[in-house]
Structures are given as structure tokens and as C-alpha cells.
Amino acid sequence: MATEFKKDHGQVCEAWRLLTATNRAAHLQAAIAKLALLTGDSKKARKLFNHLLSFTPMLDEVQQMNGATGESNELYVTARGKTMVIGGESAKALVVLGQLVAALLTGNEVILHCPSQEEMCLEAVKALYEVGISEDVISIANDSQLVTLLHMDRLSQVAVAGITSEVQSISQELANTDGILTQVIAVTDMDGLADMLTPDYLYRFVTERVRTINTTAIGGNATLLELGT
């Protein structure tokens, strides 16, 4: 039964990753109003969330790259994988939810951990479930110790909202873990949100991939064939 659960969980998360950013943004857009109300500053929250969603077309871009004759090479971005969104003791709900929206928009599976704002977490996740985002894709882990969570298997990145000392503590703990290198995405500016307004902010939640297709093998290239005659 456990094996079947893991299989289904993996398939659901993979399906979310394979959606276009445009489709993921449609789900998130439907939840923005409720998420904004949880921050205490609905107007500012809507502005931030819509700013993040405005970069959606960028995430769906595919760039053609030069390569060997007879190959088609496409550069695109995709989700990094399992992502933990952490709110420190001093974190504001707006920043935590902004990190959450960014992680979901880019196609990642997200685990939310913000024990100091447990009710906000519950309401945020409920709002996301209501717009069709699966429980496999977004979950809460406030009942677990942070140190234990940071050592979970195949944790790709941690998005931290908090003061510098909290970020440093988490980074140090991650440095002591085994397995894959876990990236830290920190937001320490609780009021100005400077970290989240940079043009490359969303790129921190993704990784680049190249898709290579052998065009001669899937149908031939008449020009190449002529070169041999």
C-alpha cells in the first residue's frame, strides 16, 4: 500500500510539473483573492501575487539553440522538485505566501512549514485545494521538527522567509545533510519585498534543461541526403 501511495504521489506531482506555467497560473489566479485576505494587507498582496504571475509567459518560453547538423536543440526551464517553504518566527504571511505562489507557479511540489502561523497555513492550503491543486502537490508539515524536515529525502530547495540569522541557521543545517545539494531561496525584506521583485526571482525555483531531437532519425533531411550524392 505504501509503495502504491508513493507511486500515485509521484505521478500527481509529475503531472503538475508537466503542466504549462499558463495552466498552473490559472489555478493560482483563482485562489489569489482568498490568499490575499490572509496577509492582513490584501491590496499589497494582490499586487505581489499578480507581479509574480506576470512572469508566466517567461516560464513557458522555449529557446532554439545551435547544435550539430541533423539535431534540434531546445532550451527550457522546469521545476527543481520537492520544495519546502518555511516561515520563521518573524516572517509575515505575505512573504510566506509569496514564496508559496512562486514555488507552485514554477511547477514544484511544496511542503509548507510555518508553525507560528498555523491557521494561516491551513486556510491557504484549503484555498489552493478548492481551485484544483492536489494534496499531493501542496501539504503542511507544521507538526514536524524543522531539523527533521530539512533532512528529508530528495529535498531540492528551501524557500525561507525570515531574518538573516534564521536563514543562516537553516543553511548550516542543510550543509550537514547527505544526498542532493539543496538550494536556499531567502527573503529577509519583510516590508519592501526587494528579494521577490527582482527579474530573476522565479528562476531560482527552476532548473534549465535541453531537449535534443535527432531530426535525421525521425524522417530524414533531404538536404543532407543530397550531400552524399
Side-chain angles (χ1 to χ4, degrees), residues 45 50 81 89 95 111-112 126 176 201 205 219 227:
N50 285 322
E89 289 294 326
V95 180
I111 300 163
L112 181 59
K126 179 182 177 182
N176 295 328
Y201 171 65
F205 290 86
L227 291 177

Side-chain angles (χ1 to χ4, degrees), residues 55-78:
F55 287 95
T56 297
M58 172 192 77
L59 298 172
D60 281 333
E61 286 181 356
V62 177
Q63 300 181 39
Q64 298 296 325
M65 300 178 63
N66 293 328
T69 303
E71 285 185 357
S72 169
N73 298 286
E74 299 174 337
L75 175 67
Y76 64 100
V77 296
T78 189

Side-chain angles (χ1 to χ4, degrees), residues 19 42 52 70 85 129 146 149 157 165 168 174 176 194 197 199 212:
L19 285 176
S42 182
L52 296 175
V85 173
Y129 291 161
L146 178 58
L149 293 172
Q157 55 196 355
S165 61
Q168 291 175 337
L174 289 172
N176 295 328
L197 299 177
T212 300

Side-chain angles (χ1 to χ4, degrees), residues 104-117:
L104 289 172
L105 176 61
T106 46
N108 297 285
E109 171 196 351
V110 180
I111 300 163
L112 181 59
H113 182 76
C114 188
S116 63
Q117 301 187 57

Side-chain angles (χ1 to χ4, degrees), residues 19-227:
L19 285 176
T20 63
T22 300
N23 284 334
R24 293 192 295 267
H27 287 284
L28 293 168
Q29 186 70 56
I32 276 182
K34 289 186 177 180
L35 293 178
L37 289 174
L38 300 174
T39 66
D41 190 339
S42 182
K43 183 178 180 180
K44 187 175 183 179
R46 283 174 176 268
K47 186 175 181 180
L48 173 64
F49 298 155
N50 285 322
H51 169 77
L52 296 175
L53 294 179
S54 71
F55 287 95
T56 297
M58 172 192 77
L59 298 172
D60 281 333
E61 286 181 356
V62 177
Q63 300 181 39
Q64 298 296 325
M65 300 178 63
N66 293 328
T69 303
E71 285 185 357
S72 169
N73 298 286
E74 299 174 337
L75 175 67
Y76 64 100
V77 296
T78 189
R80 285 183 177 273
K82 190 179 295 183
T83 302
M84 187 177 300
V85 173
I86 298 174
E89 289 294 326
S90 62
K92 292 189 176 181
L94 173 57
V95 180
V96 175
L97 293 181
Q99 295 260 62
L100 176 61
V101 168
L104 289 172
L105 176 61
T106 46
N108 297 285
E109 171 196 351
V110 180
I111 300 163
L112 181 59
H113 182 76
C114 188
S116 63
Q117 301 187 57
E118 188 170 357
E119 187 62 31
M120 181 274 290
C121 292
L122 291 171
E123 291 299 319
V125 168
K126 179 182 177 182
L128 294 168
Y129 291 161
E130 288 175 351
V131 298
I133 299 178
S134 171
E135 295 180 21
D136 290 290
V137 173
I138 170 67
S139 60
I140 302 174
N142 284 341
D143 56 342
S144 301
Q145 292 295 318
L146 178 58
V147 172
T148 301
L149 293 172
L150 293 176
H151 284 261
M152 73 169 59
D153 185 47
R154 301 200 64 77
L155 181 62
S156 297
Q157 55 196 355
V158 175
V160 188
I163 60 177
T164 302
S165 61
E166 289 173 325
V167 174
Q168 291 175 337
S169 177
I170 289 171
S171 298
Q172 183 60 53
E173 189 63 43
L174 289 172
N176 295 328
T177 62
D178 297 322
I180 64 175
L181 180 65
T182 304
Q183 174 172 287
V184 176
I185 304 168
V187 175
T188 56
D189 183 0
M190 295 296 140
D191 296 312
L193 308 175
D195 309 281
M196 309 179 79
L197 299 177
T198 58
D200 63 344
Y201 171 65
L202 286 177
Y203 278 122
R204 301 188 65 185
F205 290 86
V206 299
T207 186
E208 292 182 338
R209 287 188 180 177
V210 175
R211 181 187 300 112
T212 300
I213 300 173
N214 186 332
T215 55
T216 59
I218 62 172
N221 183 310
T223 304
L224 291 176
L225 294 176
E226 289 174 1
L227 291 177

